[in-house]
Amino acid sequence: MRQEGTSELSYQVLLYYKYVPLEDPVQFAKEHLQLCKELELKGRVLVSHEGINGTLSGVKEQTKQYMDYMKQHPLFTDMPFKVDEHDGHAFHRLSVRPRKELVAWHLDESDDINPNELTGQHVSPKEFYELLQKEDVIIIDGRNDFEYDLGHFQGAIRPAVRTTREFPSWIKENLGEYKNRKILTYCTGGVRCEKLSGLLLKEGFKDVVQLDGGIVTYGKDPEVKGQLFEGKCYVFDDRIGVPINRVDEKIITHCLHCGKPADQYINCRNVTCDQRHIVCPDCEQTHEHFCSTACKEEQLARA
């Protein structure tokens, strides 16, 4: 609910996670849902025996109350929040649910990793920036391929995965030759790299680091200013992509239809296709949100 007298950027988007044991995720989710409803927040929060992983939006006053509440909770007093200003809610609804995992790795119990026991070395944005410029490092994007395509660090390897669960096999099939090299990992906010870096260590990689706070924190660092990141960072809310590089911002993607530089992701209007693709504003209108003429004809025939 927009409050009277609020400024244009009167909302905030919160991104956060923490791996910490929760005894009863189901009850915690039930109580947490009520808290978020009372504060009129929207977004997605996952809780499990592993901890919490969430992204929420709301009026600044309510998001501040939420952060204050969490910082007073004995399990989350030191949990960092990534905060972005916004002109409204970044989500259409609220979902707080218990899950088996904070990130859907689908690892067997014997292969699973506790990030509090095994994870890569955390490095600051400034340290990561300096490491990016070394010739002997291997940079691994810890996100899905479509996220990489919208924006990534210079020189990063594009993961040929559509979901996180595909990472273990992709690592075994493609990265074995780099086990003695220094590995840099990064993701949006850090939660995926907690296990990704641990998985690499478990696979025999000797020197693995992860960007503390992820791409979002990197873009806010006052010294680094997002340098060496190209394109935009994909986010799972209505913003879709957010700028990171505040020194030399570039558009690295192109419209599916006309080939002009563009960085807006949409889903094909054909419900049986739903292909995520890049469009420019003109083609979005001309092609009416369809990725192809065939999809348009199929949808119209079905209607």
Side-chain angles (χ1 to χ4, degrees):
M1 181 182 298
R2 186 180 294 274
Q3 296 184 344
E4 294 294 331
T6 54
S7 61
E8 183 180 359
L9 295 178
S10 58
Y11 284 69
Q12 288 181 329
V13 182
L14 309 180
L15 180 66
Y16 57 94
Y17 74 89
K18 186 177 181 181
Y19 280 94
V20 60
L22 286 180
E23 291 186 5
D24 190 347
V26 174
Q27 182 61 28
F28 183 93
K30 182 178 179 180
E31 295 172 357
H32 209 71
L33 175 62
Q34 185 59 37
L35 168 69
C36 293
K37 284 182 176 180
E38 291 174 359
L39 293 175
E40 299 184 30
L41 302 176
K42 295 182 180 180
R44 292 187 298 271
V45 181
L46 299 179
V47 295
S48 79
H49 288 288
E50 297 180 312
I52 189 169
N53 179 23
T55 176
L56 293 167
S57 67
V59 177
K60 287 182 179 179
E61 180 181 347
Q62 275 81 358
T63 53
K64 181 180 183 303
Q65 289 179 32
Y66 179 83
M67 288 187 285
D68 289 343
Y69 172 87
M70 293 300 282
K71 289 175 181 178
Q72 293 171 11
H73 194 291
L75 294 179
F76 306 110
T77 54
D78 59 348
M79 182 171 68
F81 286 88
K82 295 94 175 174
V83 183
D84 277 332
E85 291 190 339
H86 198 41
D87 58 0
H89 271 297
F91 299 90
H92 296 290
R93 62 188 184 90
L94 172 66
S95 173
V96 181
R97 297 183 178 179
R99 285 288 187 269
K100 182 178 179 181
E101 299 177 280
L102 292 187
V103 179
W105 286 92
H106 293 267
L107 296 170
D108 293 334
E109 187 174 344
S110 60
D111 296 326
D112 201 8
I113 294 166
N114 182 348
N116 293 313
E117 297 176 356
L118 181 67
T119 193
Q121 176 190 356
H122 286 242
V123 297
S124 68
K126 183 178 180 181
E127 292 171 318
F128 196 81
Y129 172 72
E130 293 171 349
L131 288 171
L132 287 171
Q133 300 174 73
K134 295 185 179 296
E135 295 183 357
D136 60 338
V137 299
I138 301 298
I139 310 162
I140 300 176
D141 194 309
R143 305 169 300 158
N144 303 329
D145 52 7
F146 63 87
E147 297 174 75
Y148 175 100
D149 291 341
L150 186 63
H152 53 265
F153 283 106
Q154 292 179 18
I157 296 175
R158 181 183 187 271
V161 302
R162 297 291 295 176
T163 63
T164 303
R165 72 182 70 179
E166 299 173 37
F167 259 105
S169 59
W170 178 77
I171 290 171
K172 292 178 181 179
E173 295 169 5
N174 296 276
L175 303 181
E177 63 183 291
Y178 303 129
K179 286 190 176 181
N180 293 318
R181 303 277 291 276
K182 191 176 190 69
I183 306 295
L184 312 184
T185 67
Y186 69 90
C187 59
T188 307
V191 66
R192 283 178 277 189
C193 281
E194 296 284 6
K195 281 199 177 184
L196 173 62
S197 60
L199 182 63
L200 288 164
L201 289 169
K202 195 170 184 178
E203 284 293 321
F205 290 80
K206 309 300 182 185
D207 187 1
V208 183
V209 304
Q210 59 178 296
L211 173 58
D212 191 30
I215 302 167
V216 175
T217 298
Y218 186 90
K220 296 179 181 300
D221 186 89
E223 290 187 72
V224 176
K225 299 180 180 179
Q227 293 181 85
L228 300 182
F229 190 89
E230 298 181 329
K232 288 185 176 180
C233 177
Y234 188 97
V235 291
F236 292 88
D237 59 55
D238 289 351
R239 297 171 298 168
I240 305 298
V242 296
I244 297 298
N245 193 323
R246 292 180 283 140
V247 175
D248 183 24
E249 185 177 354
K250 297 177 181 177
I251 295 178
I252 64 171
T253 45
H254 300 82
C255 177
L256 173 69
H257 302 288
C258 69
K260 294 180 180 178
D263 58 8
Q264 179 185 3
Y265 260 130
I266 65 172
N267 289 78
C268 180
R269 186 175 166 187
N270 184 343
V271 294
T272 61
C273 173
D274 200 38
Q275 177 186 334
R276 185 184 292 106
H277 59 287
I278 299 288
V279 295
C280 67
D282 291 339
C283 287
E284 181 182 4
Q285 292 187 359
T286 301
H287 295 273
E288 302 177 81
H289 276 243
F290 292 102
C291 71
S292 66
T293 301
C295 271
K296 180 177 181 179
E297 293 174 349
E298 179 184 329
Q299 179 77 358
L300 292 176
R302 186 165 47 248

